[in-house]
């Protein structure tokens, strides 16, 4: 094969691309300039062109954790790099390299089909593999960081590709080095390290209830149980627009937790770092009477108060207006600040 045949295809550029189908809130939004990225090799040229035109830019994966305005100015990079490959395997673990544009749930299914259990608690989370480490997605007692070996990304500060080992990713609850440095990294590939020794993690209340009479479930049984629980509690974005949890679970000092518990004996919380407690934001919002509330075209989901929904025709402004009402009421009732979880673009 000659050099020309080996050269990457240039990325496809579209002006005023509609994004209603590419954000799970279903907001009517468009990208001024959209670059479709199907291979890492396309990125340096795209970024050079963006810099030359002095455009703002951002990456859009599955659009499941973003609040989009009517028009996204500048450049939007649509992350569509695919490919899933077991790169090495020994007695302890397997390494699996996955393209940033691969659908997260499809990858979880693939891992089980290929006898690499571990990720089943994270089934049915919307979004892409490349977006997963940015907010360190987590559910039912595990977080994606627990399974990451390293991350390959384009660093827009140095105009070069970098490989960050897990230790450099500064993972924490819904947080990472990538989230702390926005507009810098474009995640192209995530390398997962999946241990050969598998253990069921069903301690989380919802799963423990599900397996009350079967304490040794298989990975597939856990996968199906997680899908069932999520389907029951969380709205399907294809039916009702939403971005999953709209707020993070707030972390408060033990003393504040004790005071709150004195006043609200049913307060739901979990242990966190020493001296701290994580409160269930859904419970706080529910107690304020917001569950199922509607404000114009947007509202609070009827089965889970932590999820804000677009009933159709809602906008970023509508959802942020509702979020502000909730934040104010929760602050007034409990003295706790709620942080918005999705990225406001
Ligand atoms: N609760 C209420 N009312 C509600 C919602 C929740 O009283 O309307 C109570 C529940 O009864 C429960 C507690 O609050 O005792 C926690 O609720 P849940 O188990 O549904 O989990 P969560 O803390 O609301 C977190 C993650 C979810 C993840 C689940 C399961 C965050 C911000 N959210 O939700 O992640 O699926 O745990 O592990 O950490 C997401 O980030 O998009 C997401 C869906």
């Amino acid at each position: 094969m000659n050099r020309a045949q080996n050269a990457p295809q240039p990325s496809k550029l579209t002006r005023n691309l509609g994004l209603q189908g590419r954000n799970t809130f279903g907001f009517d939004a468009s990208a001024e300039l959209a670059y479709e990225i199907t291979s890492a090799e396309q990125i340096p040229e795209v970024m050079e062109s963006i810099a030359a035109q002095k455009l703002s830019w951002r990456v859009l994966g599955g659009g499941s954790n973003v609040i989009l305005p009517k028009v996204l100015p500048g450049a939007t990079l649509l992350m569509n790099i695919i490919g899933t490959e077991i790169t090495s395997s020994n007695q302890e673990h397997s390494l699996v390299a996955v393209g940033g544009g691969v659908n997260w749930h499809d990858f979880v299914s693939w891992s089980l089909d290929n006898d690499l259990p571990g990720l089943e608690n994270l089934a049915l989370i919307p979004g892409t593999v490349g977006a997963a480490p940015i907010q360190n997605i987590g559910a039912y007692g595990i977080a994606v960081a627990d399974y990451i070996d390293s991350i390959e990304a384009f660093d827009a500060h140095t105009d070069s590709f970098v490989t960050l080992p897990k230790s450099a990713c500064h993972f924490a609850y819904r947080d990472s080095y990538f989230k702390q440095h926005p507009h810098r990294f474009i995640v192209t590939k995530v390398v997962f390290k999946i241990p050969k020794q598998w253990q069921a993690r069903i301690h989380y209340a919802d799963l423990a209830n599900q397996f009350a009479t079967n304490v040794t479930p298989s990975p597939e049984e856990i996968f199906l149980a997680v899908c069932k629980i999520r389907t029951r509690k969380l709205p399907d974005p294809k039916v009702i627009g939403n971005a999953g949890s709209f707020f993070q679970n707030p972390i408060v000092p033990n003393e504040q937790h004790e005071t709150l518990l004195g006043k609200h004996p049913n307060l739901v919380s979990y242990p966190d770092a020493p001296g701290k407690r994580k409160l269930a934001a859904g419970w706080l919002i529910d107690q304020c009477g917001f569950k199922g509330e509607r404000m114009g075209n947007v509202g609070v989901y009827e089965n889970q108060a932590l999820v804000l929904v677009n009933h159709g025709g809602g906008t970023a402004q509508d959802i942020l207006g509702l979020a502000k009402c909730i934040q104010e009421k929760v602050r007034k009732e409990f003295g706790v600040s709620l942080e918005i979880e999705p990225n406001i673009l």
Side-chain angles (χ1 to χ4, degrees), residues 3 10 48 62 82 99 150 196 212 237 266 323:
R3 234 178 98 74
E48 209 175 296
I82 54 166
S150 62
K196 286 277 161 73
N266 297 330

Side-chain angles (χ1 to χ4, degrees), residues 10 65 105 165 195 238 315:
N65 200 44
H105 178 74
K238 289 192 198 92
T315 64

Side-chain angles (χ1 to χ4, degrees), residues 251-284:
I251 296 163
V252 300
N254 276 346
E255 304 77 63
Q256 190 179 356
H257 168 252
E258 289 299 319
T259 313
L260 280 170
L261 196 59
K263 286 194 215 155
H264 310 277
N266 297 330
L267 179 76
V268 181
S269 71
Y270 316 96
D272 198 69
K276 293 184 173 163
R277 219 51 213 175
K278 192 187 278 172
L279 308 180
W283 187 88
L284 300 173

Side-chain angles (χ1 to χ4, degrees), residues 231-243:
T231 308
R232 191 179 69 223
K233 285 190 139 184
L234 302 167
D236 177 353
K238 289 192 198 92
V239 184
I240 308 177
N242 75 92

